[in-house]
Amino acid sequence: MSAVAGIAVGSLVVWVWLLLGQGFFWRTDQRLPRRAEPVRWPSVAVVVPARDEADVLPVSLPSLLAQDYPGDAEVFLVDDCSTDGTGDRARALSVRFGGLPLTVVTPGEPEPGWTGKLWAVRHGIALARRRKPEFLLLTDADIAHEPDSLRELVAAAGDAGAGGFDMVSQMARLRVTSPWERLVVPAFVYFFGQLYPFRRVNRAGSRTAAAAGGCVLLRTGAAERARIPESIRQAVIDDVSLARAVQRSGGRIWLGLAERVDSVRPCPRLADLWQMISRSAYAQLRYSPLLLAGTVVGLGLVYGAPPATLAAGLLSGDAAAAWAGGAAWAVMAGTYMPMLGYYRQSLWLAPLLPFTAVLYLLMTVDSAVRHHRGRGAAWKGRTYARPETAPDS
């Protein structure tokens, strides 16, 4: 067997294992659990951190204010030092649309050791706790909810004493309109599911923990036990850190794909998507050059080798390399099709996944380069140090 054929066979073996042994990550059937509605609807405080979100609030905020929820609910929008009139826009929308009560606060710049979003969440939760809500809904300012979203989330959480969940999180359906969004966005959710298979996250007693920060319903008691958000105040990837903290404190978590929760933030250009992904990619690797090198090699073998060995085998007449490379590419594309279907995209995009993986690899390397140049996890005018170098609060 030639070296090229050996690489192709190795890649095929990896893809067969991913297909069958990685928690069926490629399936898209993890949706909100269906439970009977509670006899008494618990109170909910909705906390929305917002920094320079005046453009998207007219689409997202009215959807929160219009929630058809039978219990007590209130919205707390925390204006994180915006420069575009986010707070004033939110107040004007509340007057115009009515609905749930809205409180807008501005806590000022974050203290050392806090990321801006979690600093805002801290103040929103502190304000909400004065009302003693039973649940907290943490949702981003660019997330739009269907009128029954909150109702379904609370029903899915169930009774904590009867097998219910302490945290229910939905991966909002991201905007997919431009050609670059079609190429990159479904793959983003696909790769996330590969790292954190939803079925494993949702299994009782699992050690895999993850969440989607755009839509997280959290029991207030579970937040207190996990010391949220103080225990994760430096986290750049705050949603996964949140899930781990809740799980470590004994809470049960659930994560799935959303059907009625959507992101309205446009990222039409490759530069927009590049910034969104590269800002936290190196943090995902715990700022480790060794993990970065392993990621480069791993992505090359898993995603780059199948089309490369197929082409090399066809050109050289190496039937084994061509067959194994083609089979690995076919399995890869097949696992991507359910996610493309979820995003209502053409299945002909599936064979392009190796190209998209190369883009993600370049974004990850760029993230590492930015970090070592001191530009780190930059977002909306702020740059965050790695946790172990950030001063304690």
Side-chain angles (χ1 to χ4, degrees), residues 15-342:
W15 273 108
V16 171
W17 178 81
L18 287 172
L19 175 69
L20 302 175
Q22 185 61 0
F24 293 99
F25 75 94
W26 44 271
R27 294 182 58 170
T28 57
D29 57 352
Q30 293 296 288
R31 308 298 172 87
L32 275 181
R34 300 296 179 184
R35 299 178 186 266
E37 292 188 345
V39 176
R40 183 189 65 82
W41 289 92
S43 56
V44 182
V46 182
V47 177
V48 185
R51 178 173 171 82
D52 293 336
E53 300 285 15
D55 289 341
V56 299
L57 281 182
V59 181
S60 60
L61 184 58
S63 75
L64 279 175
L65 300 176
Q67 285 300 296
D68 178 20
Y69 185 67
D72 293 331
E74 187 173 354
V75 180
F76 298 88
L77 186 139
V78 186
D79 181 3
D80 181 17
C81 298
S82 299
T83 59
D84 65 349
T86 289
D88 291 337
R89 176 64 62 87
R91 294 184 186 95
L93 290 168
S94 177
V95 171
R96 177 182 174 186
F97 289 98
L100 298 183
L102 173 70
T103 300
V104 178
V105 295
T106 304
E109 288 291 336
E111 293 180 355
W114 285 83
T115 63
K117 178 180 177 179
L118 290 173
W119 178 251
V121 168
R122 176 196 184 191
H123 283 267
I125 290 178
L127 189 62
R129 279 177 176 161
R130 298 176 185 175
R131 312 292 204 274
K132 299 183 179 179
E134 296 165 77
F135 279 96
L136 301 165
L137 175 61
L138 311 180
T139 186
D140 289 345
D142 63 340
I143 301 297
H145 295 253
E146 291 294 328
D148 59 353
S149 172
L150 180 56
R151 184 183 192 127
E152 291 195 355
L153 282 164
V154 172
D159 186 349
F165 299 102
D166 293 288
M167 188 180 80
V168 174
S169 177
Q170 287 186 290
M171 177 73 74
R173 200 190 302 261
L174 304 177
R175 181 181 182 271
V176 179
T177 303
S178 73
W180 283 114
E181 287 172 333
R182 293 188 180 98
L183 185 68
V184 173
V185 168
F188 174 80
V189 183
Y190 172 88
F191 292 142
F192 185 90
Q194 193 175 74
L195 284 173
Y196 307 103
F198 292 2
R199 289 174 176 271
R200 288 186 181 173
V201 171
N202 300 340
R203 190 171 58 211
S206 174
R207 298 178 62 183
T208 302
C215 178
V216 177
L217 183 75
L218 180 63
R219 291 186 195 275
T220 305
E224 292 171 352
R225 289 193 298 273
R227 296 178 52 247
I228 301 298
E230 286 77 10
S231 63
I232 60 170
R233 63 189 182 277
Q234 298 175 0
V236 174
I237 307 176
D238 54 89
D239 44 13
V240 174
S241 299
L242 169 62
R244 288 173 176 165
V246 172
Q247 188 186 75
R248 282 196 302 266
S249 65
R252 189 179 174 196
I253 63 178
W254 185 93
L255 170 65
L257 295 173
E259 294 178 303
R260 303 174 67 74
V261 178
D262 300 280
S263 172
V264 297
R265 185 182 303 283
C267 293
R269 303 175 304 159
L270 177 59
D272 302 321
L273 294 161
W274 194 291
Q275 171 66 9
M276 179 187 76
I277 294 166
S278 65
R279 70 186 176 95
S280 60
Y282 198 40
Q284 182 72 57
L285 300 177
R286 301 195 292 274
Y287 307 98
S288 167
L290 185 61
L291 287 177
L292 175 64
T295 298
V296 171
V297 173
L299 284 176
L301 173 64
V302 175
Y303 290 96
T309 54
L310 171 61
L314 291 174
L315 290 173
S316 65
D318 188 338
W323 177 86
W329 197 358
V331 174
M332 179 200 313
T335 64
Y336 190 37
M337 286 181 178
M339 188 59 68
L340 289 172
Y342 169 74

